[in-house]
Structure formats: C-alpha cells, structure tokens
Amino acid sequence: MKLRALSLCVFACTACAFDIDDFLDRLDTALTVSAFQDNLRARLSGTLDLEIYHFEQPAPGLIDSSIDTLFNPRLTLFLDTQIGSQIYFFAQSRLDRGFDPSNHGAQIRLDEYALRITPWEDGRFTLQAGKFATVVGNWVPRHLSWDNPFINAPLVYENVTAIQDKYAPYSPSYFIYGPYYYGKYAFNPVIWGPSYASGFSISGKLGQFDYAVEMKNASLSSRPESWNVTENGFENPTFSSRVGFRPNEAWNFGLSASEGLYFRREAEPTLPSGRDVD
C-alpha cells in the first residue's frame, strides 16, 4: 500500500511538472511574434526574483534599508527584437523597490533600451546606441540574477567609498568623518552596479581577442538618477574601454579603463572659487 501511494505521488508530481513545462512553452510561444518570413522576430520574456536579506545595521553595500530584514521582490521584463541578422533591439523594464534593494515603495523603471547593429556575421564590429550596461569589467555581462554567480555585486561595484557626487569635501578630515554625518546613499562606489548610462559603444571580436569602447553621459560611479539622458546630457561625457583575451572557455582576461567626471552639477557651488565640475 505504501509503495502504491509513493508511486502515485511521484506520478502526480511528474504530471504536474509536465503541465507547468507545457504551460511555460505555450506562454513563450504566445509572447513570440514573427513576420516577413521570420526576418522580423520579437520576444517578450521576464523573471520574478524574490529576495530576502537579513543583516545588522548599517546595511551592507548599496542596500538602502533602515530595517534588519528586507523583502525585495523584483519583476523584470525583457523585449528582444531581431530584424534580419544585422539589427537587434532590446529593452529591460523593472518593477521593484528601487534599483538597489531598499525598504521604499514600489517603482517602475525602464533600465535599458538600445539598438545594436552588427554588419558582419563574424562579429568583428558592432555599433550600439541607447541606455545600456557599461563595457567595463567581466562581471557586467553576467550581472542579471539568472547569470550572476554571487548574491550581490562584487566589492568594486557596490562598496560605498568616501566620495560624494553632490558635494565637494571642504577638508581632508571630511573623508573620515563625512560618512558619520550623511546617509550612506549620499556616497558613491567605484562603479555603480552595471552602470546603465546613456550613450554609444563600438565593440567586436577578433579571434581570441575582444574590444569595446563607449561614450556615456555619466561616469561609472554615477548614481542611477544620472543615467537618463534627460537628466544628464553629454556636456561632459565619460569614455571607457576594455580589451579582453579569452584563450579558452575557462579563462577570460581583460583590461578596462575609464575617464569621466563623478561630480553632478549641484556640486558646483561647493567647489572652491573659480573651479567648476569640469
């Protein structure tokens, strides 16, 4: 009798799994459209992340929370559109409690949107324009939750430094005591997450080597509010580049560099007389 009950339970679970897989396959088909003999294809997909953090105050990294246990759900929607083999458009929108985990209210954002043109099939040259993740670093290409091998971002992408983008330090001691008087979110990391700033990039692959150069409207350390081109124009662009070498699937070496302003315009009154953010 126990063996029959166990067999029935396993069969029911397997049937349920098949039903879920079948439903997801049908949903994926319904959210994919094609036209012009498959020369135009568009696909809508998404992920639902349910994150729970428990920590001692102050919250680590870029987590902006005054409570010790934080529930941070996130719905992410992706739109991928392919026109022929050379033109590709993508967009990413999120519904969550802030770009960085926080105990604030829900918000909807359009984090990424970009048009990518690849004239040659071997990928030697790609031109991209829009609002998208930086080319700097090896972690950024796998920063999404399903690809990220870590719980959060590596240290350089979320560890807050003593640098502020809205105020200039008035003395050397400010770097020591400033964090005690201002909230953590007033300061900047070296690179703010994937840095979805707006701009243009050129990239490509040449054998085992790859390269990328970008011009963005905000620096790598800039906060998410600075990434939209409506908030921050190209008066003081940031230039970044990366050169990589991948001898095999196990190893991926890279060298990145970037130059740009980390001060926002509102920091100008706090600078010494005769100086500006440039």
Side-chain angles (χ1 to χ4, degrees), residues 5 54 63 97 101 116 129 142 147 151 160 185 218-219 221 249 272:
H54 182 72
I63 297 177
R97 303 182 71 178
R116 182 183 300 166
R142 48 185 180 152
D147 305 317
I151 296 176
V160 178
Y185 222 65
S219 68
S221 62
E249 291 297 323

Side-chain angles (χ1 to χ4, degrees), residues 8 23 29 44 60 70 90 136 161 196 220 259:
L8 180 61
F23 169 75
T29 302
L44 182 65
L70 174 65
F90 67 92
V136 169
T161 68
Y196 293 138
L220 295 179
E259 181 180 9

Side-chain angles (χ1 to χ4, degrees), residues 264-278:
R264 287 169 59 94
R265 280 295 175 188
E266 53 261 46
E268 196 159 343
T270 67
L271 295 173
S273 178
R275 303 292 297 273
D276 56 27
V277 294
D278 298 339

Side-chain angles (χ1 to χ4, degrees), residues 6 34 44 53 55-56 58 78 89 93 97 105 126 148 168 192 245 255 257-258 265-266 275:
L6 179 61
S34 61
L44 182 65
Y53 298 89
F55 42 77
E56 295 181 357
F78 304 95
F89 174 83
S93 180
R97 303 182 71 178
T126 296
N148 189 2
W192 201 302
F245 173 63
L255 178 64
S258 181
R265 280 295 175 188
E266 53 261 46
R275 303 292 297 273

